[in-house]
Amino acid sequence: MGEKKLPIGIESFETLAKECYFVDKTDFITEILDYPKTSVLLFTRPRRFGKSTTLSMVKCFFERSKEDPWEYFKLTKLSEKGRENLPEMGKYPVISLSFKNLAPTSFGQFLALLHFVMKDEYLRHIHELREGITERSDLNYIQDLLEKDGDETKLMYSLSNLLRMLGQCYHEEVVVLIDEYDALMQEAYEGGFIDQNHY
């Protein structure tokens, strides 16, 4: 293994764990696991506090993958619990959306950026979706979302549909992570097209 580097401009937890010096925030995962069961958790932090990197770490921990996430956590404080005591690790399908650095100046741009983010996430799960979905209507929906821009109705239900379909594919609950969840709404407000925005 080469010499570790400073994580300038790096937000991927996997890259940090393998290649960089970083502040160990894995206690945050322990907080989530110990938190009373709930459907939604909102985490607020000041700007430049590492929210995106923290969400990347949470995604790495929970997401079902061919790679064992333990490889990224075995040298962190979380490893003190022991792999056998972390049954949630690598268990769930994860939807990970980021609205960071998106700045639409019109409602049309808002729709285009939202479509881009959702399309990207569908493509990230496309193999599982094509293998696990049998309903023709769902397959047609996926195809339309990937090929056609600007269909407001399809876009409106894109997150709930992906949540439902991944649940069917994995027969498991789905973790949804949204970074900068309010960014597009703030831009819509500041840009004066918030009234058109019903998403």
Side-chain angles (χ1 to χ4, degrees):
M1 181 180 286
E3 186 177 336
K4 297 260 184 180
K5 58 188 179 183
L6 294 176
I8 299 172
I10 298 173
E11 294 180 348
S12 163
F13 176 75
E14 291 92 331
T15 303
L16 291 174
K18 282 186 173 181
E19 302 175 13
C20 304
Y21 295 106
F22 67 97
V23 177
D24 188 337
K25 296 184 179 180
T26 54
D27 275 345
F28 185 67
I29 291 174
T30 301
E31 286 181 42
I32 294 173
L33 297 175
D34 292 344
Y35 201 83
K37 187 166 177 62
T38 183
S39 296
V40 178
L41 290 173
L42 172 64
F43 304 108
T44 58
R45 297 290 188 275
R47 290 183 63 79
R48 314 309 307 162
F49 199 77
K51 294 186 295 293
S52 297
T53 304
T54 301
L55 278 183
S56 175
M57 175 186 69
V58 173
K59 173 177 171 284
C60 180
F61 177 83
F62 284 110
E63 187 160 48
R64 199 162 165 173
S65 169
K66 292 177 182 176
E67 245 184 317
D68 184 0
W70 181 250
E71 290 301 307
Y72 300 105
F73 290 95
K74 62 186 180 182
L75 298 178
T76 67
K77 190 169 182 181
L78 187 68
S79 67
E80 295 172 7
K81 287 180 171 290
R83 177 68 175 90
E84 67 282 2
N85 296 316
L86 295 166
E88 300 89 349
M89 180 180 280
K91 179 180 179 182
Y92 303 100
V94 174
I95 296 172
S96 181
L97 306 173
S98 176
F99 299 117
K100 189 175 183 179
N101 300 324
L102 300 183
T105 57
S106 68
F107 184 61
Q109 276 191 0
F110 171 89
L111 290 177
L113 289 170
L114 185 58
H115 182 263
F116 174 80
V117 170
M118 291 309 303
K119 178 179 176 180
D120 200 45
E121 191 62 9
Y122 270 79
L123 286 172
R124 200 170 73 81
H125 295 284
I126 196 64
H127 178 73
E128 293 80 5
L129 291 170
R130 286 185 173 152
E131 289 288 318
I133 297 298
T134 57
E135 287 290 329
R136 175 53 55 188
S137 59
D138 283 337
L139 293 171
N140 289 340
Y141 175 87
I142 294 168
Q143 197 67 27
D144 284 350
L145 187 76
L146 296 181
E147 292 181 355
K148 300 175 184 176
D149 295 344
D151 188 325
E152 288 187 43
T153 304
K154 284 188 171 57
L155 198 52
M156 186 181 298
Y157 296 102
S158 56
L159 177 56
S160 59
N161 280 341
L162 183 57
L163 187 66
R164 174 180 56 80
M165 288 188 277
L166 286 178
Q168 289 174 1
C169 289
Y170 288 95
H171 305 288
E172 191 58 80
E173 291 182 282
V174 181
V175 174
V176 180
L177 303 173
I178 304 178
D179 191 15
E180 300 282 350
Y181 73 95
D182 60 337
L184 287 180
M185 296 301 295
Q186 184 173 329
E187 293 293 337
Y189 176 78
E190 292 178 357
F193 52 92
I194 190 71
D195 291 340
Q196 295 174 270
N197 191 340
H198 46 273
Y199 291 85

